[in-house]
Amino acid sequence: MTSARLHLDGQIHEFPVIHGTEDEVGIEIGQLRSQTGAITLDSGFTSTGACTSSITYIDGANGILRYRGYPIEQLAEESDFAEVAYLLLYGELPNAEQSAAFRADLTYHSMIHEDMKKFFEGFPPNAHPMAILSAMVASLSTYYPGTEKESRDANFVRLIAKIRTLAAYAYKKSIGQPTIYPRNDLSYGENFLHMMFAVPAEEYQVNPVMVKALNMLLILHADHEQNCSTATVRMVGSSRANIFAAISSGICALWGPLHGGANQKVLEMLEVMEKDGGGYQKWIDKAKDKNDEFRLMGFGHRVYKNFDPRATILRKMTGEVLEELGMEDPLLEIAKNLERVALEDSYFVERNLYPNVDFYSGILYRAMGIPTNMFTVMFAIGRLPGWLAHWKELREDESARIYRPRQIYTGPNERKYEPLAGRG
Ligand code: ACO
């Protein structure tokens, strides 16, 4: 298949067809409007590709997710977040020298400018950490105003290194504890846990089980091709706004409950179900009722019409981590039972609604001591390398133009302005 034909108003128009490396098919309709005067309309972009990309491959029908060709299952089991971040950004796994240099950079750029600590004082104590994070990331641009050309790679490192410091400071601020500085002898994940949970009065030992779980969680979230937040980063990046502005926009997009904000909502939902204690069927019925705005949070996905492979990994990992930590969490049982009941219900079966990555991640975060309102921040830390890789890909694409969708106007036709006195 090399071209596609469109019959419109008695005329035939031909458009080139392009194939991806996994045989995905796209009809290039860039010339559609100039040839025919018409545009395509695809609310929610269900069938619209905005770019070609060599970063992440998803086969939603078969539950496949690969970063740069590597299956997510292998990366989650055998790699760590710093290595995956490098892979996403530069396309290949690092060799020993590149790996050491990248890790050293992440360590030595983890502090934020001391003046930025004052910003945290301006937020109310109950401020949502996602609001703080997006504001802080945008503010980084005032400290690093260098041109894109001279500071591109340095800014990648700054962002990946500093986002965990900003996140941990936001948390410490919310619980009224002093901020804890990063340590140069700790790895990426260890440093984050240290800044989150150490207190000046005590020695803090980082638990290796937590570090393993954290690395896996961050890897599972690291990229997911053209989702809402990544498309936002590309959109803002296409105007050539600075990289901090583009990433800050991505953080805001991620915050929504239909996207990354779902992980917080899942846990809140499971807690309500636990308190209610009244079985699962009524929640399933509520989720099915079109007059009720309740949805089963953590269920359904635009791309996966089969199991989300990340949810499968997380379900297993959550059980293992709780066991290793000697913890039991009734919410895990509730989640498993809810999953079972939903997957036996024809409404969920017919619509291919399966648990997504957010369904089990909250239980794991909870076991790690991370508070519910920080869950989406954790997602943002994980997704950052993916956003950066997409921003880089966009900026390196010489054919990329500013993103500017069209519309079909459905408002009033031209009418005459009436001055206020004559409007009746
Ligand atoms: N509970 C109940 N019904 C659902 C759910 C759900 N969680 N998800 C979808 N449906 C139903 C819809 O009502 C719709 O039914 P209909 O065809 O009878 O009208 C059908 O399934 C298709 O759903 P859409 O909303 O059209 O699917 P879309 O691809 O636009 O949305 C989304 C995907 C936003 C993830 C949706 O499934 C949802 O709201 N899920 C809950 C929120 C969530 O978990 N978000 C996290 C997604 S993963 C991530 O961003 C990392």
Side-chain angles (χ1 to χ4, degrees):
M1 198 187 340
T2 54
S3 67
R5 284 182 178 179
L6 173 74
H7 294 246
L8 189 69
D9 267 349
Q11 287 200 328
I12 298 176
H13 303 273
E14 199 149 313
F15 298 96
V17 166
I18 66 157
H19 295 260
T21 47
E22 294 286 347
D23 293 332
E24 289 175 308
V25 178
I27 305 166
E28 268 196 294
I29 47 100
Q31 299 304 315
L32 176 69
R33 191 169 175 278
S34 60
Q35 275 188 35
T36 68
I39 61 164
T40 55
L41 193 59
D42 179 17
S43 164
F45 308 130
T46 320
S47 302
T48 297
C51 59
T52 57
S53 177
S54 61
I55 301 169
T56 287
Y57 173 66
I58 302 175
D59 174 350
N62 293 307
I64 291 172
L65 169 61
R66 296 183 204 132
Y67 299 159
R68 303 283 191 187
Y70 296 102
I72 190 66
E73 293 79 5
Q74 287 175 24
L75 294 172
E77 188 59 40
E78 296 173 45
S79 184
D80 72 5
F81 181 61
E83 183 173 73
V84 168
Y86 186 99
L87 170 71
L88 286 169
L89 277 170
Y90 298 108
E92 296 296 336
L93 289 167
N95 62 27
E97 200 183 320
Q98 290 162 333
S99 173
F102 189 61
R103 285 167 201 276
D105 278 348
L106 291 181
T107 298
Y108 288 102
H109 289 274
S110 41
M111 284 206 282
I112 57 169
H113 195 289
E114 209 47 23
D115 286 352
M116 276 191 90
K117 283 175 73 180
K118 296 190 194 113
F119 296 179
F120 288 89
E121 289 161 22
F123 292 105
N126 58 354
H128 197 286
M130 282 297 273
I132 299 182
L133 191 68
S134 64
M136 289 297 169
V137 168
S139 307
L140 283 174
S141 64
T142 62
Y143 291 87
Y144 304 105
T147 64
E148 192 178 313
K149 205 169 172 193
E150 69 197 19
S151 44
R152 190 196 70 165
D153 292 77
N155 284 340
F156 295 158
V157 162
R158 284 174 181 140
L159 274 160
I160 299 173
K162 292 178 200 307
I163 194 169
R164 74 200 143 150
T165 314
L166 294 170
Y169 279 18
Y171 170 60
K172 286 293 195 191
K173 148 87 189 161
S174 74
I175 55 169
Q177 284 187 6
T179 49
I180 301 289
Y181 287 94
R183 272 177 28 194
N184 286 356
D185 60 323
L186 297 179
S187 71
Y188 189 90
E190 288 170 336
N191 236 329
F192 175 69
L193 294 172
H194 160 75
M195 287 189 280
M196 284 285 289
F197 300 119
V199 284
E202 285 169 19
E203 179 79 7
Y204 174 74
Q205 286 294 335
V206 183
N207 183 334
V209 179
M210 300 279 203
V211 178
K212 184 167 182 250
L214 177 64
N215 266 297
M216 196 210 57
L217 277 160
L218 296 180
I219 290 171
L220 292 182
H221 288 90
D223 193 43
H224 216 236
E225 49 117 308
Q226 310 305 317
N227 54 84
C228 176
S229 56
T230 303
T232 301
V233 169
R234 278 186 177 259
M235 169 74 84
V236 177
S238 80
S239 79
R240 307 204 180 165
N242 71 69
I243 192 168
F244 302 101
I247 298 300
S248 173
S249 316
I251 293 170
C252 291
L254 185 73
W255 192 1
L258 296 191
H259 191 14
N263 55 15
Q264 174 173 344
K265 298 286 173 206
V266 169
L267 205 95
E268 289 166 359
M269 176 185 81
L270 295 174
E271 282 172 343
V272 170
M273 289 178 183
E274 185 191 22
K275 275 200 197 101
D276 180 78
Y280 305 102
Q281 196 54 48
K282 82 171 186 203
W283 301 103
I284 301 281
D285 292 342
K286 262 169 87 63
K288 287 155 59 175
D289 182 354
K290 296 290 175 205
N291 297 318
D292 190 326
E293 61 182 31
F294 176 79
R295 280 190 164 200
L296 218 49
M297 297 313 286
F299 260 76
H301 198 277
R302 170 61 63 79
V303 179
Y304 294 116
K305 301 303 173 194
N306 193 328
F307 262 90
D308 178 340
R310 302 167 301 173
T312 311
I313 299 171
L314 272 174
R315 186 184 201 272
K316 185 166 165 275
M317 183 74 182
T318 306
E320 284 171 14
V321 169
L322 288 179
E323 204 176 309
E324 281 185 65
L325 295 174
M327 293 167 80
E328 276 181 27
D329 190 339
L331 295 194
L332 180 59
E333 276 317 296
I334 294 177
K336 283 184 178 167
N337 288 331
L338 186 63
E339 177 187 326
R340 182 178 45 75
V341 176
L343 295 185
E344 284 166 2
D345 191 294
S346 60
Y347 173 96
F348 289 85
V349 174
E350 280 158 19
R351 289 169 181 75
N352 295 312
L353 300 172
Y354 293 92
N356 59 48
V357 68
D358 291 321
F359 194 63
Y360 286 104
S361 63
I363 299 173
L364 203 43
Y365 289 137
R366 195 163 109 119
M368 295 167 72
I370 291 167
T372 315
N373 71 352
M374 282 287 288
F375 289 0
T376 316
V377 168
M378 300 304 298
F379 193 152
I381 298 174
R383 182 54 53 88
L384 178 60
W387 288 334
L388 294 173
H390 282 272
W391 181 90
K392 178 171 176 280
E393 190 174 69
L394 172 96
R395 298 293 300 115
E396 285 172 354
D397 176 359
E398 282 169 10
S399 66
R401 302 165 73 189
I402 188 166
Y403 278 26
R404 204 309 186 178
R406 295 268 177 179
Q407 64 164 21
I408 298 289
Y409 174 70
T410 57
N413 295 112
E414 183 177 346
R415 48 187 169 163
K416 192 169 178 303
Y417 174 79
E418 281 291 343
L420 183 59
R423 275 179 229 161

